[in-house]
């Protein structure tokens, strides 16, 4: 691991445990030479070839070198206006209105560790010897613009963290029109583009297609990362799949509007950029001011998507998520939302809680409807005072009663929003995002509070802190249920209106920093109508996210499988809900619902008082089992075995770091008449070791134990035996013997 600089050849060689990333200064411009499997670094200078192209690729130094054109040079952070016609990583408008700005090398430093990103979520280190950071300082002296490109390589992770800080060193204003976090010019175009797309209740489905000439990519213009696209994109070399081949992945540590693009240009190379969406964005940089982009995480895997995912998982689980809950087993919870919706009182909640406790549940979460006069979604957001009609003794009494039962108390809030029908809105109608004189477009009967304003952020944070102090609250579900419209702020001058959406995110991050610091013992789970803001930015503050409002076990196979491409299983909330399922109307067996949900942060979201005795016994058994495998699920390595996007079957498994324990989950959606006798090949085991395999949760007895070779399980496979019927599922536990 480390960063080497060859001063003579002007080459930076960045190394992670298994990958290399090489930059060379060509006439002061940082050129991208290589990213891939680790190489030793002999003759790196020979990696870059330039030839003279026809006159449509301009030559900045025609008398010295006619082969050099910015239009063809693979670059690290390309600009616009001086001969590169591909899409730029940044664009700056100077005081004279012009935009032709070029940046070139000024200096660099290599530091141990990883400096934090001011005001933004980012991966971190706990000791300086865990990482090394290159800061490459680029300048344009005419414009007085400085950009510091930052690259961190980790000692234990095959990942590179990139970000950029712009500084206006001139005495005039300038305007940033785009400021991507990372750009890489890959030397080929024969890649597949893979990303995660969907909609509310159908989040993060895997999409894969061949790259074609021109621009392609994904973005959000919603002021949130969104259900529709995740800020993640990967390029797969020909033949790359789950277990093999080169994968180049990009993920943005940000929760607002983003863009991730791949441009295949005329000579068969591909430029990938990821960062803040330049659409409807600009940022006024006054003399002396600076602008920090969010962080992008770049992962190269020679072991296909599986290797990529395990790198993201380990990095995010250990060096993105923070706080005491990062390494603690997460509680099994019961959430009252699908059990009662808005229709509850203290008696009903305590009945639910008692039923939950008797099943082995550890945390009771009170969802929406406990404050103001919120009997439906038409009012009260912003009025964070308990509704004494429903909870006469307030949150404290409820919390204490739950604690007496032996349950922890968790609470839902939606702090970023305001209902037009609320005291807060009547008092402060200018506190929401809006454009004077225009309609204030509602969604779910609510408006977005203007978190670009410090006073609004402080007031909201005060209210939420008061709530958290008012009762023994140990868990918070932080929800956010609409996207931004009329993105304007009453507190910003006209020339800064297009900063509002990004300032909102900075305000939100400030609030989250404050609240999570003030309540270090509280476990926070973020949510946005399910998975509408499932991104690394939120995971920095809150180590888990409500994966989707869709709790149907079959739908969840795809949602959780897709999510697992990037995000660790310990970040995914997953609940067993009632049947027929409230989102899709499907009836699936309790076992399947439990098996899907225990492949995440396990919980229930149903009326536990309405379960039959038989169901209760089953649920008790599921919870007991989950508690046993919980460390494996939350901290083990995750391997995908069969994809729900490719057929009727899904399988995945968890393996402990020392490979002594594993849990294998298998799902078959529809029964097949006279079907094949299947074996599923396992992964991640020690081929030299033997494993005792116990089918679990098939019956309360847990099944009989048999001993298998790790090699046999991986190379020949585990035979799948399943009862007749649709929606079959199975769990096996493996223990090294
Ligand atoms: C959307 C969330 O995703 C649900 O789980 C629930 O909390 C509702 N909001 C409550 O309004």
């Amino acid at each position: 691991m480390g960063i080497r600089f060859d001063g003579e050849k002007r080459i930076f060689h960045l190394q992670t445990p298994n990958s290399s990333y090489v930059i060379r200064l060509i006439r002061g411009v940082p050129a991208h030479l290589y990213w891939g499997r680790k190489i030793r670094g002999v003759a790196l200078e020979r990696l870059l070839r330039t030839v003279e192209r026809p006159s449509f690729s301009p030559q900045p130094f025609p008398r010295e070198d006619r082969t050099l054109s910015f239009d063809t040079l693979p670059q690290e952070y390309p600009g616009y206006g001086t001969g590169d016609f591909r899409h730029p990583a940044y664009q700056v408008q100077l005081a004279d209105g012009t935009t032709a700005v070029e940046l070139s090398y000024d200096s660099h430093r290599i530091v141990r560790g990883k400096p934090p990103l001011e005001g933004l979520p980012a991966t971190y280190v706990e000791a300086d010897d865990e990482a090394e950071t290159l800061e490459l300082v680029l300048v344009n002296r005419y414009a007085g613009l400085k950009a510091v490109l930052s690259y961190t390589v980790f000692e234990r992770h095959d990942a590179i963290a990139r970000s950029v800080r712009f500084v206006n060193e001139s005495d005039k204003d300038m305007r940033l029109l785009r400021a991507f976090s990372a750009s890489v010019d890959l030397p080929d175009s024969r890649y597949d583009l893979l990303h995660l797309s969907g909609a509310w209740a159908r989040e993060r489905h895997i999409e894969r297609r061949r790259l074609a000439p021109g621009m392609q990519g994904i973005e959000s213009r919603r002021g949130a990362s969104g259900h529709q696209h995740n800020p993640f994109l990967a390029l797969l070399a020909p033949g790359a799949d789950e277990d093999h081949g080169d994968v180049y992945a990009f993920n943005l540590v940000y929760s607002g509007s983003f863009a991730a693009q791949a441009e295949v240009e005329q000579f068969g190379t591909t430029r990938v950029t990821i960062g803040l969406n330049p659409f409807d964005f600009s940022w006024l940089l006054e003399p002396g001011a600076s602008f920090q982009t969010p962080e992008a995480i770049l992962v190269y895997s020679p072991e296909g998507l599986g290797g990529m995912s395990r790198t993201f998982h380990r990095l995010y689980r250990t060096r993105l998520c923070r706080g005491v809950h990062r390494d603690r087993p997460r509680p099994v919870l019961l959430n009252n939302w699908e059990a009662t919706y808005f229709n509850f009182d203290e008696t009903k909640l305590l009945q639910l809680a008692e039923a939950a406790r008797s099943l082995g549940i550890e945390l009771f979460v009170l969802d929406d409807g406990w404050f103001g006069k919120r009997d439906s979604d038409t009012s009260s957001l912003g009025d964070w005072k308990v509704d004494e009609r429903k909870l006469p003794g307030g949150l404290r009494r409820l919390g204490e009663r739950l604690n007496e039962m032996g349950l922890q108390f968790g609470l839902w809030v939606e702090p970023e929003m305001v209902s037009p029908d609320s005291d807060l809105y009547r008092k402060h109608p200018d506190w929401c995002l809006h454009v004077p004189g225009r309609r204030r477009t509602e969604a779910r009967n609510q408006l977005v509070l203007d978190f670009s304003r410090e006073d609004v952020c402080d007031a909201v944070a005060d209210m939420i802190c008061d709530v958290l102090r008012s009762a023994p609250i140990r868990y918070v579900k932080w929800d956010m249920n609409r996207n931004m419209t009329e993105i304007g702020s009453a507190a910003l001058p006209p020339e800064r209106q297009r900063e509002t959406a990004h300032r909102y995110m900075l305000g939100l991050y400030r609030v989250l920093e404050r609240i999570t610091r003030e309540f270090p013992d509280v476990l926070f789970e973020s949510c946005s109508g399910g998975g509408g803001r499932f991104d690394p930015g939120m995971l920095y503050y809150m180590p888990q996210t409500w994966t989707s409002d869709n709790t149907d076990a079959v739908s969840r196979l795809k949602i959780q499988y897709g999510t697992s491409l990037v995000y660790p299983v310990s970040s995914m909330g997953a609940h067993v809900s009632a049947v027929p399922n409230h989102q899709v109307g499907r009836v699936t067996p309790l076992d399947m619902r439990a098996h899907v949900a225990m492949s995440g942060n396990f919980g229930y979201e149903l009326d536990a008082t309405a379960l039959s005795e038989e169901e209760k016994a089953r649920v008790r058994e599921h919870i007991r089992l989950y508690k046993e495998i919980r460390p494996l699920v939350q901290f083990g390595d995750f391997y995908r075995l069969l994809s729900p996007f490719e057929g009727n079957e899904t399988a995945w498994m968890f393996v402990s770091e020392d490979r002594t324990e594993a849990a294998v989950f298998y799902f078959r959606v529809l029964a097949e008449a006279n079907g094949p006798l299947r074996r599923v090949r396992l992964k991640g085991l020690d081929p030299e070791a033997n494993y005792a395999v116990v089918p679990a949760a098939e019956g309360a007895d847990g099944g009989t134990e048999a001993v298998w070779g790790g090699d046999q399980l991986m190379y020949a496979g585990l035979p799948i035996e399943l009862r007749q019927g649709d929606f079959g599922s199975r769990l096996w536990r493996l223990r090294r013997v």
Side-chain angles (χ1 to χ4, degrees), residues 337 342 367-368 374 412 414 444 477 479 481 527-530 546 549 605:
W337 179 242
F342 295 102
D367 210 277
D368 197 353
R374 189 144 164 106
W412 177 98
E414 192 175 357
R444 207 192 188 206
K477 178 176 173 188
D479 206 349
N481 281 301
C527 173
S528 172
W546 179 224
D549 272 348
E605 185 151 341

Side-chain angles (χ1 to χ4, degrees), residues 6 147 203 212 231 258 272-273 387 479 534 586 614 659 677 737:
D6 179 337
E203 296 93 337
F258 71 91
V272 182
T273 40
D387 181 353
D479 206 349
F534 201 136
R586 195 173 356 245
E614 198 188 325
R659 300 193 289 179
L677 298 175
V737 287

Side-chain angles (χ1 to χ4, degrees), residues 116-121 124 322-325 461 465 468-469 478 508-524 540-542:
L117 260 62
E118 216 189 306
L120 283 163
Y124 60 89
R322 301 179 300 166
V324 295
H325 293 283
C465 287
L468 299 189
R469 270 190 290 266
W478 183 292
L508 172 63
Y509 290 147
R510 234 181 1 251
V511 169
L512 296 181
E513 184 69 32
R514 173 181 156 189
I515 295 182
T516 51
R517 263 183 204 284
E518 277 188 39
F519 298 91
D521 292 326
V522 171
L523 169 61
F524 286 87
Y540 178 72
Y541 302 98
M542 309 191 178

Side-chain angles (χ1 to χ4, degrees), residues 181-194:
S181 300
S183 179
V184 180
D185 284 338
L186 293 166
D188 210 327
S189 62
R190 287 164 298 170
Y191 300 112
D192 280 359
L193 172 69
L194 185 140

Side-chain angles (χ1 to χ4, degrees), residues 544-585:
Q544 57 190 62
T545 302
W546 179 224
T547 312
S548 175
D549 272 348
N550 188 340
T551 53
D552 168 58
V554 174
S555 312
R556 276 290 186 128
L557 292 175
K558 284 187 177 164
I559 294 170
Q560 292 177 201
Y561 189 100
T563 305
S564 81
L565 245 52
V566 188
Y567 304 104
V569 170
S570 59
S571 68
M572 290 186 220
H575 301 170
V576 174
S577 62
V579 288
N581 173 267
H582 294 194
Q583 292 78 39
V584 300

